[in-house]
Amino acid sequence: MRKVLLTGDRPTGQLHLGHFVGSLRNRVALQNSGDYDCFVMIADVQALTDNFKSPQKVRDNVYEVALDYLAVGLDPKKTTIFIQSLIPALAELTIYYMNLVTVARLQRNPTVKTEIQSKGFGKALPTGFLVYPISQAADITFCKAHVVPVGEDQLPMIEQTREIVRTFNSIYGDVLVEPEALIPSDEKSRRLPGITGNDTKMSKSLNNGIYLADDLDTLRAKVRQMYTDPGHLKVSDPGKIEGNTVFTYLDVFATDTAYVAELKEHYQRGGLGDVKVKGYLLEVLDGILAPIRQRRAEYAKDPAAVYEVLKEGTAYANEVAAATLAEVRAAMKIDYFG
Ligand code: TRP
């Protein structure tokens, strides 16, 4: 039997290059390997846990994220793309799993802990936000996923899911599958910095991102703004590679490593200007982004067709969920009428 793969994103904004190297391109490769039954979820319920006052934003971004998925090469013939809120079984599983997790354990989840601080919830922490890792366990287990390709920040979520699965199976019998996280093997791809410097991760909220939907002019402007070496004032000055975002990006995206090594050497020696290196980076990035941008524009011409993809994926996900739920209910002895 083929293994099952599931992953997803919160629809709170368009997807950017950080998502692309940290997760999207990996997903597309796994999809095309033919080794997995693939599910990719647009996690609107989870997005609402910290955006419940902005329903229109979440709704709009369900569509944007779907476009990004199709643009990078997720293929609805190979991958079930679906909307979380339209799978009622996920809410039901969440309720059952809640019994298996203490409040203290949720508060210790490192990702949740950082988010609570960064979002400034203080004492006004919504219950829905605190329990989203439980809902994420429902997302992963409804289709009995074996592997979950995600960014590094999601490791605590997978660990928490594994605990829930072990607890469930030990109480009710062997029904659920303990998933494994898959993170990019290449360390540099795990945490792409934003354009303002290597210390900060690319993130929507920090406004330092390059988006898959950015047009060429926007891309050019962002590359031009990119943080380099503030001490490299004249072209003839020797420049630093460490902490220089342009070189960090070249390491991640350029395939001609010999040429990159040559540029680095020249830059450190002096005589190579930022404008030239940035020109090359623009070429490299546009080589990756231009086909994505074109496919995105193509799909954007027919929004009804994009929604149809989501509708069909959601219908299939509901079938899979119904099968798992029947097993869960039987194991929990709440299958009263058979
Ligand atoms: N928490 C993930 C994120 O913020 C999104 C997500 C929701 C997810 N459910 C999931 C990821 C299930 C993997 C598996 O990016």
Side-chain angles (χ1 to χ4, degrees), residues 6-10 41 43 46 136 139-140 148 150 154:
L6 176 128
T7 188
D9 299 278
R10 294 182 189 192
M41 183 182 66
Q46 192 175 110
Q136 189 156 336
D139 302 340
I140 294 170
V148 188
V150 280
Q154 292 296 305

Side-chain angles (χ1 to χ4, degrees), residues 194-214:
I195 58 172
T196 49
N198 277 1
D199 297 341
T200 45
K201 190 173 151 177
M202 185 174 287
S203 134
K204 185 171 48 247
S205 50
L206 297 171
N207 205 9
N208 63 1
I210 293 177
Y211 289 85
L212 301 179
D214 283 349

Side-chain angles (χ1 to χ4, degrees), residues 86-150:
L86 294 175
I87 316 293
L90 296 177
E92 195 174 330
L93 288 174
T94 303
I95 296 276
Y96 303 146
Y97 296 169
M98 279 190 193
N99 297 331
L100 313 178
V101 184
T102 65
V103 174
R105 173 65 180 88
L106 288 167
Q107 286 167 330
R108 276 200 309 273
N109 181 308
T111 306
V112 174
K113 217 165 152 176
T114 340
E115 283 172 322
I116 289 174
Q117 273 162 8
S118 69
K119 292 174 201 296
F121 281 133
K123 285 213 183 323
L125 175 65
T127 313
F129 188 82
L130 183 66
V131 304
Y132 92 72
I134 303 181
S135 143
Q136 189 156 336
D139 302 340
I140 294 170
T141 53
F142 91 89
C143 59
K144 301 191 179 176
H146 301 92
V147 293
V148 188
V150 280

Side-chain angles (χ1 to χ4, degrees), residues 1 4 9 74 78 85 116 122 127 149 168 177 189 212 246 336:
M1 232 177 58
V4 177
D9 299 278
L74 286 180
K78 301 180 186 161
S85 63
I116 289 174
T127 313
F168 185 100
V177 169
S189 299
L212 301 179
V246 174
Y336 302 105

